[in-house]
Amino acid sequence: MADEHVPIIGGTGALGFGLAIRLARAGTPVVIGSRDQGRAAEAAEKVAERVPGANVRGLENPEAARQGPLVLLCVPFRNQSENLTNLKEVLQPGQILVDATVPLAAAVSGRATRLLGVPQGSAGMQAAEMVPEGVEVVSALHSVSASTLGDLDHVLDEDILVAGNSVPAKKRVAELIARIDGLRPVNAGRLEASKLIEALTPLLIGINSRYKTHAGIRITGLPDELW
């Protein structure tokens, strides 16, 4: 996977952009996707400014999603369904969609510390219903702070819970996450665990608001070899 491009749908947002600069610094080719090609190109230029020598470019979402076998979806929950609908004719069997969306109540003018109910059980499970047959959905990257990702001077030291029904797909996602210094991917089980993982985001938002920090999570007592 080292030379494969990683498309980031929603790469102009805080989480997507933070992942873009961290992956670019790790030497991973990145494609920033946006509904607007101009915004995508502008974000790519910003990544190149922050990470000299970065292999990065910006494209409209459909074209971006064609650029690699592992696609990150980093959009607000209110935009998840629209984006997946637009990508139905683009995503191909064998691709992996990493869903990082969280159904926060803030999406409907509620509080960011509350989780919305999703009929399918979680945003990740909703994504699995919407992608074309043969596309694997893996749920991950919900608990890491977008602001700490975007601050290259901040030293990361936290775990990322990874859930999905395909072990090979989860391993590929874990390999990608592990390229970012300070992030340790942990196998959290099948995709249905995404409803628990997504709930960590509003919990952490509340904790970080109270303590004025950017805390993540760490799972203790694990063996050295996780995958």
Side-chain angles (χ1 to χ4, degrees), residues 11-12 17 20-21 24 30-33 37-59:
T12 58
F17 185 80
I21 61 173
V30 173
V31 181
I32 291 180
Q37 200 278 332
R39 289 188 63 204
E42 182 181 352
E45 290 177 6
K46 290 180 180 179
V47 171
E49 290 172 2
R50 299 278 300 278
V51 185
N55 185 343
V56 57
R57 54 185 170 144
L59 299 170

Side-chain angles (χ1 to χ4, degrees), residues 101-168:
T101 59
V102 180
L104 292 175
V108 290
S109 301
R111 296 171 59 187
T113 51
R114 291 182 56 201
L115 200 68
L116 289 174
V118 182
Q120 293 83 351
S122 69
M125 295 168 77
Q126 175 171 279
E129 278 196 3
M130 296 191 67
V131 296
E133 185 176 354
V135 175
E136 288 288 347
V137 171
V138 174
S139 181
L141 297 165
H142 301 91
S143 57
V144 63
S145 165
S147 61
T148 58
L149 281 172
D151 179 5
L152 292 178
D153 292 328
H154 183 92
V155 178
L156 300 172
D157 181 26
E158 56 190 277
D159 291 338
I160 301 296
L161 300 179
V162 181
N165 296 335
S166 166
V167 173

